[in-house]
Amino acid sequence: MEPWEWDEATWRGKVEKVRAGRSLKPKVWQGGARCAVALSFDSDHETNELRDGGESIGRMSQGQYGNRVGVPRILDVLKKAGVPVTFFVPAVAALLYPDEQRQVIAEGHEIGLHGWIHEVNTKVPPEKERELHFRAADTLEKIIGIRPVGMRTPSWDFSAATLKIQRELGLLYDSSLMADDDPYELVEDGEATGMVELPVEWIRDDAVYFNMNRFTAHRPYTPPPAVLDIFKREFDRAYEEGGLFLLTMHPHVTGYRSRIFILEELIAHIQQHEDVWFATHADIAGFVKNAAVENGAVVSRG
């Protein structure tokens, strides 16, 4: 049946499977801050090539750059700035580089789930998707000694089964969807779930500006200073509105000599503003959920 042949129950059911519920944007952030800043890094490394069954030595070497150069360079910037962030790591990448993950945790950052091998959820049968996410959670917990409380789905690809699996995992938050700028509660089939969504957006993602694959149409098209300007403008409006500024970056994208200044100058720009709270995704999700409870609007458990 073609989409134009669907009855209302069919198309409405697809739309309402996973929706944005009530806003969880607080009146004031932790410590009286005006704006919350959630910087994040997706440490995909070689899994970008592996997930498609690829065997390109060149593309896997680009992934290795993320571990060998990108992550150390980023951690150095973060340490100098005193900023905590969240890294989302596919389990296969964590198995390839367990010491990297332990260093990330040791330096006060968070690690969240990012699939098993950066698989595309909508191409995986629901029962296999569930097994992969649980296996990934078990693997990360074994490596870092902490069970992740949040997930960013690989490529932000969200299947009809993903939220149910996340709830079974007992996660605090997701960071894969785009229905708002600020945190909101996820609703599944009309039911409030208690899951916090920390929304992403391609505008606030370095990969869309810098991706390069010589065998496809992916070519860098935006100069690094222009990307910095976009990110600054996104933060400035978030600060003006008293909201959340959430940014997604990748070690194998931003970790280069000619791009790392974007992170350095963006942090410096943000730190020039008063009342800004830099925090991990877990800390932000926990704060907005607790604030909702304290305000008398009890968030149901997932």
Side-chain angles (χ1 to χ4, degrees), residues 24-40:
L24 296 178
K25 177 184 175 183
K27 294 180 180 179
V28 63
W29 295 93
Q30 176 79 31
R34 175 186 180 91
C35 178
V37 174
L39 303 182
S40 57

PDB file of all heavy atoms in Angstrom, residues 24-40:
ATOM      1  N   LEU A  24      10.926  20.078  29.310  1.00  0.00           N
ATOM      2  CA  LEU A  24      11.617  19.946  30.590  1.00  0.00           C
ATOM      3  C   LEU A  24      12.626  21.077  30.787  1.00  0.00           C
ATOM      4  O   LEU A  24      13.511  20.987  31.641  1.00  0.00           O
ATOM      5  CB  LEU A  24      12.317  18.587  30.662  1.00  0.00           C
ATOM      6  CG  LEU A  24      11.399  17.360  30.646  1.00  0.00           C
ATOM      7  CD1 LEU A  24      12.226  16.082  30.666  1.00  0.00           C
ATOM      8  CD2 LEU A  24      10.418  17.381  31.804  1.00  0.00           C
ATOM      9  N   LYS A  25      12.490  22.148  30.021  1.00  0.00           N
ATOM     10  CA  LYS A  25      13.366  23.299  30.189  1.00  0.00           C
ATOM     11  C   LYS A  25      13.082  23.940  31.546  1.00  0.00           C
ATOM     12  O   LYS A  25      11.961  24.341  31.828  1.00  0.00           O
ATOM     13  CB  LYS A  25      13.119  24.308  29.071  1.00  0.00           C
ATOM     14  CG  LYS A  25      13.938  25.592  29.205  1.00  0.00           C
ATOM     15  CD  LYS A  25      13.571  26.575  28.112  1.00  0.00           C
ATOM     16  CE  LYS A  25      14.280  27.907  28.283  1.00  0.00           C
ATOM     17  NZ  LYS A  25      13.860  28.885  27.243  1.00  0.00           N
ATOM     18  N   PRO A  26      14.075  24.028  32.418  1.00  0.00           N
ATOM     19  CA  PRO A  26      13.846  24.591  33.748  1.00  0.00           C
ATOM     20  C   PRO A  26      13.831  26.121  33.714  1.00  0.00           C
ATOM     21  O   PRO A  26      14.324  26.739  32.764  1.00  0.00           O
ATOM     22  CB  PRO A  26      15.042  24.080  34.550  1.00  0.00           C
ATOM     23  CG  PRO A  26      16.129  23.978  33.529  1.00  0.00           C
ATOM     24  CD  PRO A  26      15.461  23.550  32.243  1.00  0.00           C
ATOM     25  N   LYS A  27      13.275  26.708  34.749  1.00  0.00           N
ATOM     26  CA  LYS A  27      13.282  28.170  34.841  1.00  0.00           C
ATOM     27  C   LYS A  27      14.690  28.689  35.066  1.00  0.00           C
ATOM     28  O   LYS A  27      15.034  29.781  34.614  1.00  0.00           O
ATOM     29  CB  LYS A  27      12.360  28.617  35.972  1.00  0.00           C
ATOM     30  CG  LYS A  27      10.886  28.321  35.721  1.00  0.00           C
ATOM     31  CD  LYS A  27      10.021  28.797  36.871  1.00  0.00           C
ATOM     32  CE  LYS A  27       8.545  28.496  36.610  1.00  0.00           C
ATOM     33  NZ  LYS A  27       7.681  28.923  37.743  1.00  0.00           N
ATOM     34  N   VAL A  28      15.480  27.909  35.774  1.00  0.00           N
ATOM     35  CA  VAL A  28      16.878  28.266  36.005  1.00  0.00           C
ATOM     36  C   VAL A  28      17.675  26.969  36.067  1.00  0.00           C
ATOM     37  O   VAL A  28      17.172  25.924  36.496  1.00  0.00           O
ATOM     38  CB  VAL A  28      17.036  29.079  37.308  1.00  0.00           C
ATOM     39  CG1 VAL A  28      16.623  28.259  38.521  1.00  0.00           C
ATOM     40  CG2 VAL A  28      18.446  29.612  37.468  1.00  0.00           C
ATOM     41  N   TRP A  29      18.923  27.022  35.605  1.00  0.00           N
ATOM     42  CA  TRP A  29      19.748  25.828  35.552  1.00  0.00           C
ATOM     43  C   TRP A  29      20.548  25.649  36.836  1.00  0.00           C
ATOM     44  O   TRP A  29      20.456  26.468  37.752  1.00  0.00           O
ATOM     45  CB  TRP A  29      20.675  25.899  34.339  1.00  0.00           C
ATOM     46  CG  TRP A  29      19.946  25.870  33.032  1.00  0.00           C
ATOM     47  CD1 TRP A  29      19.523  26.942  32.301  1.00  0.00           C
ATOM     48  CD2 TRP A  29      19.525  24.710  32.312  1.00  0.00           C
ATOM     49  NE1 TRP A  29      18.871  26.533  31.165  1.00  0.00           N
ATOM     50  CE2 TRP A  29      18.860  25.163  31.138  1.00  0.00           C
ATOM     51  CE3 TRP A  29      19.651  23.349  32.523  1.00  0.00           C
ATOM     52  CZ2 TRP A  29      18.330  24.293  30.199  1.00  0.00           C
ATOM     53  CZ3 TRP A  29      19.129  22.473  31.573  1.00  0.00           C
ATOM     54  CH2 TRP A  29      18.476  22.947  30.433  1.00  0.00           C
ATOM     55  N   GLN A  30      21.308  24.586  36.893  1.00  0.00           N
ATOM     56  CA  GLN A  30      22.117  24.258  38.069  1.00  0.00           C
ATOM     57  C   GLN A  30      22.893  25.474  38.565  1.00  0.00           C
ATOM     58  O   GLN A  30      23.536  26.185  37.788  1.00  0.00           O
ATOM     59  CB  GLN A  30      23.102  23.142  37.707  1.00  0.00           C
ATOM     60  CG  GLN A  30      24.079  22.757  38.801  1.00  0.00           C
ATOM     61  CD  GLN A  30      23.457  21.864  39.847  1.00  0.00           C
ATOM     62  OE1 GLN A  30      22.558  21.093  39.553  1.00  0.00           O
ATOM     63  NE2 GLN A  30      23.924  21.977  41.061  1.00  0.00           N
ATOM     64  N   GLY A  31      22.839  25.721  39.872  1.00  0.00           N
ATOM     65  CA  GLY A  31      23.594  26.810  40.470  1.00  0.00           C
ATOM     66  C   GLY A  31      23.127  28.181  40.058  1.00  0.00           C
ATOM     67  O   GLY A  31      23.880  29.160  40.188  1.00  0.00           O
ATOM     68  N   GLY A  32      21.903  28.281  39.563  1.00  0.00           N
ATOM     69  CA  GLY A  32      21.384  29.577  39.131  1.00  0.00           C
ATOM     70  C   GLY A  32      21.851  30.003  37.752  1.00  0.00           C
ATOM     71  O   GLY A  32      21.692  31.174  37.372  1.00  0.00           O
ATOM     72  N   ALA A  33      22.427  29.070  36.989  1.00  0.00           N
ATOM     73  CA  ALA A  33      22.938  29.412  35.658  1.00  0.00           C
ATOM     74  C   ALA A  33      21.806  29.806  34.716  1.00  0.00           C
ATOM     75  O   ALA A  33      20.684  29.315  34.819  1.00  0.00           O
ATOM     76  CB  ALA A  33      23.719  28.245  35.078  1.00  0.00           C
ATOM     77  N   ARG A  34      22.150  30.651  33.772  1.00  0.00           N
ATOM     78  CA  ARG A  34      21.182  31.102  32.776  1.00  0.00           C
ATOM     79  C   ARG A  34      21.075  30.112  31.618  1.00  0.00           C
ATOM     80  O   ARG A  34      20.025  29.947  31.004  1.00  0.00           O
ATOM     81  CB  ARG A  34      21.609  32.476  32.244  1.00  0.00           C
ATOM     82  CG  ARG A  34      20.765  33.026  31.109  1.00  0.00           C
ATOM     83  CD  ARG A  34      21.359  34.304  30.557  1.00  0.00           C
ATOM     84  NE  ARG A  34      20.532  34.823  29.468  1.00  0.00           N
ATOM     85  CZ  ARG A  34      19.540  35.691  29.639  1.00  0.00           C
ATOM     86  NH1 ARG A  34      19.258  36.116  30.858  1.00  0.00           N
ATOM     87  NH2 ARG A  34      18.840  36.127  28.601  1.00  0.00           N
ATOM     88  N   CYS A  35      22.190  29.430  31.305  1.00  0.00           N
ATOM     89  CA  CYS A  35      22.259  28.569  30.123  1.00  0.00           C
ATOM     90  C   CYS A  35      23.062  27.317  30.455  1.00  0.00           C
ATOM     91  O   CYS A  35      24.039  27.380  31.201  1.00  0.00           O
ATOM     92  CB  CYS A  35      22.917  29.333  28.972  1.00  0.00           C
ATOM     93  SG  CYS A  35      23.153  28.410  27.431  1.00  0.00           S
ATOM     94  N   ALA A  36      22.633  26.175  29.922  1.00  0.00           N
ATOM     95  CA  ALA A  36      23.377  24.920  30.067  1.00  0.00           C
ATOM     96  C   ALA A  36      24.090  24.607  28.758  1.00  0.00           C
ATOM     97  O   ALA A  36      23.519  24.774  27.675  1.00  0.00           O
ATOM     98  CB  ALA A  36      22.438  23.783  30.448  1.00  0.00           C
ATOM     99  N   VAL A  37      25.320  24.133  28.863  1.00  0.00           N
ATOM    100  CA  VAL A  37      26.125  23.799  27.688  1.00  0.00           C
ATOM    101  C   VAL A  37      26.523  22.328  27.756  1.00  0.00           C
ATOM    102  O   VAL A  37      27.177  21.898  28.706  1.00  0.00           O
ATOM    103  CB  VAL A  37      27.379  24.679  27.602  1.00  0.00           C
ATOM    104  CG1 VAL A  37      28.278  24.224  26.450  1.00  0.00           C
ATOM    105  CG2 VAL A  37      26.988  26.144  27.438  1.00  0.00           C
ATOM    106  N   ALA A  38      26.105  21.568  26.752  1.00  0.00           N
ATOM    107  CA  ALA A  38      26.390  20.132  26.682  1.00  0.00           C
ATOM    108  C   ALA A  38      27.211  19.861  25.425  1.00  0.00           C
ATOM    109  O   ALA A  38      26.659  19.712  24.333  1.00  0.00           O
ATOM    110  CB  ALA A  38      25.092  19.329  26.660  1.00  0.00           C
ATOM    111  N   LEU A  39      28.520  19.790  25.578  1.00  0.00           N
ATOM    112  CA  LEU A  39      29.390  19.445  24.453  1.00  0.00           C
ATOM    113  C   LEU A  39      29.517  17.926  24.391  1.00  0.00           C
ATOM    114  O   LEU A  39      29.626  17.257  25.424  1.00  0.00           O
ATOM    115  CB  LEU A  39      30.770  20.075  24.627  1.00  0.00           C
ATOM    116  CG  LEU A  39      30.813  21.601  24.784  1.00  0.00           C
ATOM    117  CD1 LEU A  39      32.258  22.075  24.909  1.00  0.00           C
ATOM    118  CD2 LEU A  39      30.111  22.298  23.623  1.00  0.00           C
ATOM    119  N   SER A  40      29.507  17.383  23.187  1.00  0.00           N
ATOM    120  CA  SER A  40      29.591  15.925  23.053  1.00  0.00           C
ATOM    121  C   SER A  40      30.438  15.553  21.847  1.00  0.00           C
ATOM    122  O   SER A  40      30.529  16.303  20.866  1.00  0.00           O
ATOM    123  CB  SER A  40      28.197  15.307  22.937  1.00  0.00           C
ATOM    124  OG  SER A  40      27.465  15.835  21.854  1.00  0.00           O
TER     125      SER A  40
END
